[in-house]
Amino acid sequence: MMLIGPILIALIPVVIILELTRWLSKKEFPFWIIITPGIVSIMVAINLFYSGFVNLRGFVGLSYGILALFLIMTGFKSLFIGKNIGYDGYI
């Protein structure tokens, strides 16, 4: 139960980031705006991992590490989703 709680709580920002990236790519915003959720989530994940490893220790630090792991994976997936934009409007 100690691992299921942080994993389930980590899924909330994962879903929000992926849906925001899909919505931005469907509305055909500029490329830098589309990849912004991915970049922000990677920066937040690095900050959370550092905070959980250095300042907080034990199970609380582990939950921050789990959240950071999911955010890093989501950030890279969001960058890949944002990279596959349609180039029909530019030609």
Side-chain angles (χ1 to χ4, degrees):
M1 192 66 190
M2 293 176 104
L3 289 176
I4 294 175
I7 290 174
L8 290 177
I9 290 178
L11 290 178
I12 295 169
V14 166
V15 170
I16 291 172
I17 290 168
L18 290 177
E19 287 300 317
L20 181 64
T21 305
R22 283 185 51 202
W23 180 74
L24 289 173
S25 64
K26 284 188 179 188
K27 294 291 183 180
E28 296 182 2
F29 280 100
F31 178 69
W32 294 107
I33 294 176
I34 294 173
I35 64 169
T36 300
I39 293 172
V40 170
S41 68
I42 291 172
M43 291 184 341
V44 167
I46 291 170
N47 190 10
L48 280 174
F49 183 77
Y50 176 76
S51 172
F53 189 72
V54 173
N55 297 332
L56 305 171
R57 295 189 179 125
F59 291 110
V60 177
L62 177 67
S63 64
Y64 273 53
I66 291 171
L67 176 61
L69 177 71
F70 276 100
L71 281 178
I72 285 176
M73 290 189 303
T74 303
F76 282 120
K77 189 170 183 175
S78 175
L79 289 176
F80 289 136
I81 289 172
K83 188 176 179 183
N84 294 331
I85 58 174
Y87 292 104
D88 297 335
Y90 299 111
I91 296 176

